[in-house]
Amino acid sequence: MKYLDEYRDQRIALALAAEIVQSTTRPWVLMEICGGQTHTIMRYGIDELLPRGIELVHGPGCPVCVTPLETVDKAIELALRPEFILVSYGDMLRVPGSRSDLLRAKAQGADVRIAYSSTEAVKIARSNPERKVVFLAIGFETTAPANAMAAWQAKREGLTNFSMLVSHVLVPPAIRALMVSRTNRVQAFIAPGHVCTIVGCKQYEDLVRDFCVPIVVGGFEPVDILEAVLMLVRQLEAGETKLENQYVRSVSYQGNLPAQKIMAEVFEVADQKWRGIGPIPQSGLRLREEYAAYDADRVFDLAELSVDEPAECISAQVLQGLKKPTDCPAFGMRCTPENPLGAPMVSTEGACAAYYHYRRHTVAS
């Protein structure tokens, strides 16, 4: 297979689905980690092709969804200061903080700018030496190398008006936290392909060994996901626990070594709070001491905040695979993409947004 259309070929997808049906003799709960995979599942009705015994639940693999409320509030606070330019990826602008969001701050006069890469933020700082430019650096391992490069470039140029508000998270510690939870239902994982293009498959070996759980690195097209499900079902039915790579066209065992090198130079592993889930040890990245001059938290002495999610929002349970978005009483009524209670409804990778766009008909009126 060389072309994208072949990974959406109906005949191949149906053949894989039929093989999954034939291979399944017991019920199994599988989790796809990445929100991009969730959207593919909802868009193409992949879950409806599977036997009743196979349940797909959705994990915390949406970077926008797990960015802490406190980080959003800090970004809004900085954006509203007249001497600041706040630069962000576009999907963060409508993510609700505790009282507002960046889009409303922009409407109030804040200089909030959308960038498609972190280097655009460096360019903005270079072009506005009289302003303080803060880049909201979020994401999993996928975006960390580019964001690290922004700090590296700013340091190389000696820019004194550029900094980053960092909220980077790591996937393997989140899987570990799910596995040790008393409420865990997941028996196997589809690991996120985009993350693994950076870090490779190797980081998941410890999880397979420690928890005897099958993990398959999967892609994002319908055929990718169905093949990954089949690989997991075969392992579960045979009583095997292995790390396998379905996404071989993009992912290697070692990953992208130059990307890992720049990450290691600029960032160090740290404890991290995940929105809706709470603190997970050693699950995030922060700027190293050598890059402290580019750490907005330290440069502007931002106060430590502690903010709770709206009581009505069940996003924490959705992100842990304990409930589906349609289990939420507010789904599609008091919580919509136009007026979200939580980040999973507004993010382009959020599970609630996926259900809203593709499964609204399942909600009782």
Side-chain angles (χ1 to χ4, degrees), residues 200-268:
C201 301
K202 60 181 180 181
Q203 289 200 359
Y204 293 82
E205 286 185 330
D206 289 348
L207 293 166
V208 173
R209 183 193 65 240
D210 294 347
F211 298 105
C212 294
V213 59
I215 297 179
V216 171
V217 177
F220 296 85
E221 297 301 327
V223 168
D224 288 323
I225 293 173
L226 285 165
E227 186 176 18
V229 170
L230 178 59
M231 293 165 75
L232 288 174
V233 168
R234 284 173 172 168
Q235 284 196 52
L236 290 166
E237 293 282 341
E240 298 176 343
T241 55
K242 298 185 293 185
L243 172 63
E244 295 184 286
N245 181 14
Q246 180 275 330
Y247 202 33
V248 291
R249 67 185 184 276
S250 296
V251 174
S252 67
Y253 179 75
Q254 293 292 339
N256 187 325
L257 297 180
Q260 294 171 30
K261 182 179 179 181
I262 189 66
M263 285 171 59
E265 178 178 335
V266 175
F267 293 121
E268 62 185 3

Side-chain angles (χ1 to χ4, degrees), residues 72-95 100-115 120-121 124 131-136:
V72 178
D73 283 352
K74 288 177 182 179
I76 294 169
E77 177 192 339
L78 291 174
L80 289 170
R81 298 182 188 180
E83 70 273 24
F84 279 77
I85 299 173
L86 194 288
V87 184
S88 172
Y89 298 126
D91 53 0
M92 283 299 300
L93 265 63
R94 295 195 58 254
V95 174
S100 184
D101 58 44
L102 284 168
L103 193 61
R104 291 175 185 170
K106 183 176 177 65
Q108 294 169 13
D111 194 344
V112 178
R113 305 189 189 184
I114 296 175
E120 288 185 52
I124 291 170
R131 305 283 297 280
K132 297 175 181 177
V133 177
V134 178
F135 176 63
L136 181 52

Side-chain angles (χ1 to χ4, degrees), residues 20-198:
I20 293 169
V21 171
Q22 293 174 359
S23 302
T24 303
T25 64
R26 298 166 55 188
W28 303 108
V29 178
L30 317 180
M31 174 179 279
E32 83 280 354
I33 292 293
C34 184
Q37 294 166 335
T38 302
H39 275 255
T40 297
I41 290 166
M42 294 295 104
R43 178 182 179 184
Y44 292 96
I46 290 173
D47 55 329
E48 297 177 348
L49 294 175
L50 301 178
R52 288 180 177 271
I54 302 297
E55 181 183 1
L56 295 178
V57 296
H58 320 304
C62 164
V64 172
C65 301
V66 300
T67 299
L69 263 170
E70 294 86 345
T71 300
V72 178
D73 283 352
K74 288 177 182 179
I76 294 169
E77 177 192 339
L78 291 174
L80 289 170
R81 298 182 188 180
E83 70 273 24
F84 279 77
I85 299 173
L86 194 288
V87 184
S88 172
Y89 298 126
D91 53 0
M92 283 299 300
L93 265 63
R94 295 195 58 254
V95 174
S98 60
R99 296 178 301 278
S100 184
D101 58 44
L102 284 168
L103 193 61
R104 291 175 185 170
K106 183 176 177 65
Q108 294 169 13
D111 194 344
V112 178
R113 305 189 189 184
I114 296 175
Y116 294 97
S117 73
S118 53
T119 54
E120 288 185 52
V122 177
K123 183 178 179 180
I124 291 170
R126 192 184 301 126
S127 303
N128 295 271
E130 75 288 353
R131 305 283 297 280
K132 297 175 181 177
V133 177
V134 178
F135 176 63
L136 181 52
I138 72 156
F140 287 92
E141 297 94 326
T142 316
T143 56
N147 291 347
M149 183 59 72
W152 182 89
Q153 184 68 32
K155 183 177 180 181
R156 183 183 180 190
E157 294 183 24
L159 291 177
T160 59
N161 66 326
F162 175 81
S163 62
M164 301 198 306
L165 186 59
V166 177
S167 183
H168 272 298
V169 287
L170 306 173
V171 174
I175 295 179
R176 187 171 293 275
L178 290 172
M179 290 303 297
V180 300
S181 171
R182 293 181 179 179
T183 58
N184 176 57
R185 302 171 55 235
V186 181
Q187 296 164 293
F189 291 89
I190 303 176
H194 289 164
V195 167
C196 293
T197 61
I198 302 298

Side-chain angles (χ1 to χ4, degrees), residues 252-321:
S252 67
Y253 179 75
Q254 293 292 339
N256 187 325
L257 297 180
Q260 294 171 30
K261 182 179 179 181
I262 189 66
M263 285 171 59
E265 178 178 335
V266 175
F267 293 121
E268 62 185 3
V269 176
D271 297 343
Q272 175 69 28
K273 181 177 181 180
W274 294 53
R275 183 170 186 164
I277 298 176
I280 300 178
Q282 300 293 284
S283 67
L285 296 174
R286 66 184 176 198
L287 288 166
R288 291 185 177 275
E289 189 63 34
E290 301 92 308
Y291 288 85
Y294 302 94
D295 186 339
D297 266 308
R298 288 189 264 190
V299 172
F300 304 113
D301 195 24
L302 297 176
E304 287 298 320
L305 306 173
S306 181
V307 186
D308 294 326
E309 287 286 330
E312 193 175 16
C313 182
I314 68 165
S315 60
Q317 294 165 292
V318 172
L319 292 170
Q320 296 175 77

Side-chain angles (χ1 to χ4, degrees), residues 306-345:
S306 181
V307 186
D308 294 326
E309 287 286 330
E312 193 175 16
C313 182
I314 68 165
S315 60
Q317 294 165 292
V318 172
L319 292 170
Q320 296 175 77
L322 301 175
K323 289 191 175 181
K324 301 289 177 65
T326 46
D327 294 329
C328 178
F331 175 83
M333 292 177 282
R334 292 179 301 281
C335 183
T336 66
E338 291 75 27
N339 294 286
L341 288 176
M345 179 57 89

